[in-house]
Amino acid sequence: METSINLATEPPILVSIILVNYNGADVLPDCLNSLNKFIPKHNSEIILVDNDSQDNSIDLVTDNFPDTKIIRMSRNCGFGAGNNAGAKIAQGKFLFLLNTDITLNNNILPHLIDLMENRLDVGIIGTKLLFPDQSFQLSVAPAISIQGEFISRKLHKIAANKEYLQQVEKKYIFIQELDWVSGASLFIRTDLFHDLGGFDETFFMYFEDADLCQRVINKGYKVLYTPEVSLIHIRGHSMKKNADVMAVEYRRSQIYYYQKHRPQWENFILKVYLFIKFTYEYIKTRNTYILEILQLLYLFSVNRQNTNHRATENTEL
């Protein structure tokens, strides 16, 4: 009696979708429902990294989305570290990093996969983002620098005016190479992500996506933006809950980014600007979180001086 052997195996996972969650039970269902509706399961996986949420996020996902792989962190380790944890178990050829306040309107993966596979020089792809009312959301920027941040701030100010929003959108109606795309929706080669060591976990929140993009460019790859697929992004969901804490984290990451990537004269200008700005704001408002920012400026300056002093000693030796 002959026994037939079924040699068929499941197709390899092509895309690993990673979500980092912290107390996001109010937005998770919409995000995961849209992924389940539009993303095929045969060649993709969804990994949720929970940063020690204190709401019912875990129970919600376990009860309603059993196919989602869950990694439970023992503390809130931040956006970059959360994604790194997800990437360690990811099986896909590509990683698709998404914020939990994102929803899909269709299956955008074929376009991203084709674009990446046909452009071997591309390391990261950012997608078009829309507000819930379907209006254009600015999700790109020049490379972080004194000049770049000035241009970016001006662009965001213009985009905030509905009358001029369409003019801004016209700048991004075709696929193009850029310096920075938002980590809210970021498609990257898995091997490149691991080769770079993933996100720099010194960034708890903010600037970690800009840092990753810069390191990808330094590696010789390109960062692309595509408007041919789009997603809905609420934006700022987690930040609104802890505005003062996030304001401190923003400045901590900004100062660290400048020390890591920018010349000393830009570091000096940034710190002088921040010192004047927040000293004035503290005198005017007496908000205690501002003292934390001023303390950050002092600590970064001291650490920088100590680093330079040690470098000088080593050179003399």
Side-chain angles (χ1 to χ4, degrees):
M1 180 177 180
E2 294 183 359
T3 303
S4 61
I5 300 176
N6 185 3
L7 297 177
T9 59
E10 293 185 6
I13 292 175
L14 196 56
V15 178
S16 297
I17 300 170
I18 302 177
L19 309 168
V20 177
N21 175 66
Y22 179 66
N23 293 336
D26 51 338
V27 293
L28 267 176
D30 288 342
C31 178
L32 290 171
N33 278 323
S34 72
L35 289 173
N36 283 342
K37 181 177 180 180
F38 295 112
I39 302 300
K41 290 186 173 65
H42 70 276
N43 66 348
S44 65
E45 63 178 350
I46 300 173
I47 300 170
L48 178 79
V49 182
D50 186 78
N51 270 335
D52 193 31
S53 293
Q54 301 303 305
D55 60 5
N56 65 327
S57 294
I58 293 293
D59 291 339
L60 185 154
V61 176
T62 302
D63 294 342
N64 299 287
F65 305 96
D67 292 333
T68 300
K69 299 176 182 178
I70 300 175
I71 299 175
R72 303 187 188 204
M73 307 298 280
S74 59
R75 60 183 178 84
N76 184 2
C77 61
F79 178 80
N83 275 298
N84 287 349
K88 287 179 181 177
I89 70 163
Q91 301 177 56
K93 180 180 179 181
F94 304 106
L95 303 178
F96 192 21
L97 314 182
L98 287 179
N99 279 12
T100 55
D101 57 351
I102 289 266
T103 55
L104 278 66
N105 289 323
N106 53 65
N107 181 12
I108 67 175
L109 291 186
H111 171 69
L112 297 175
I113 293 168
D114 288 346
L115 188 57
M116 192 73 90
E117 290 188 333
N118 291 325
R119 292 284 303 272
L120 298 181
D121 60 334
V122 172
I124 284 178
I125 301 174
T127 67
K128 182 178 182 179
L129 297 180
L130 301 172
F131 286 107
D133 65 0
Q134 300 290 319
S135 62
F136 176 73
Q137 184 177 126
L138 195 58
S139 60
V140 300
I144 303 296
S145 66
I146 296 294
Q147 181 182 22
E149 289 206 79
F150 176 79
I151 294 171
S152 181
R153 179 173 295 187
K154 185 177 180 180
L155 200 56
H156 276 276
K157 189 174 181 179
I158 295 172
N161 188 325
K162 295 289 185 181
E163 295 180 11
Y164 300 109
L165 185 58
Q166 288 186 343
Q167 296 179 22
V168 175
E169 186 175 4
K170 286 178 182 178
K171 296 177 179 288
Y172 304 103
I173 59 174
F174 55 88
I175 296 173
Q176 55 191 286
E177 180 183 348
L178 293 171
D179 298 314
W180 172 88
V181 293
S182 172
S185 171
L186 191 148
F187 196 73
I188 185 170
R189 300 178 189 276
T190 303
D191 57 355
L192 176 60
F193 186 84
H194 289 310
D195 189 36
L196 291 168
F199 284 106
D200 180 344
E201 296 184 11
T202 304
F203 296 99
F204 177 81
M205 186 74 69
Y206 300 110
F207 288 86
E208 66 281 287
D209 46 8
D211 171 74
L212 185 66
C213 287
Q214 185 60 58
R215 288 188 287 128
V216 163
I217 292 171
N218 293 346
K219 195 78 174 174
Y221 288 87
K222 294 179 179 178
V223 174
L224 288 190
Y225 167 81
T226 177
E228 296 189 15
V229 291
S230 61
L231 306 91
I232 304 297
H233 183 214
I234 296 176
R235 196 169 79 172
H237 167 263
S238 59
M239 288 68 169
K240 291 174 184 176
K241 297 180 179 180
N242 304 284
D244 289 351
V245 173
M246 290 298 99
V248 175
E249 289 305 323
Y250 180 90
R251 296 304 175 182
R252 187 195 310 277
S253 294
Q254 183 186 35
I255 297 167
Y256 174 62
Y257 183 95
Y258 272 73
Q259 288 199 351
K260 184 175 181 180
H261 293 290
R262 304 309 303 169
Q264 287 191 7
W265 69 267
E266 285 197 21
N267 275 274
F268 177 75
I269 289 176
L270 174 68
K271 289 171 184 174
V272 169
Y273 164 74
L274 293 178
F275 178 77
I276 295 172
K277 172 183 172 66
F278 287 106
T279 298
Y280 174 74
E281 285 194 15
Y282 180 71
I283 293 171
K284 188 170 64 173
T285 66
R286 299 293 176 178
N287 285 338
T288 55
Y289 85 91
I290 295 176
L291 292 177
E292 294 184 53
I293 296 176
L294 293 173
Q295 184 180 27
L296 276 178
L297 288 169
Y298 172 75
L299 291 175
F300 270 101
S301 297
V302 169
N303 290 337
R304 185 66 176 235
Q305 288 174 3
N306 290 339
T307 300
N308 291 339
H309 180 65
R310 286 194 297 269
T312 302
E313 287 182 337
N314 292 334
T315 301
E316 291 174 348
L317 291 173

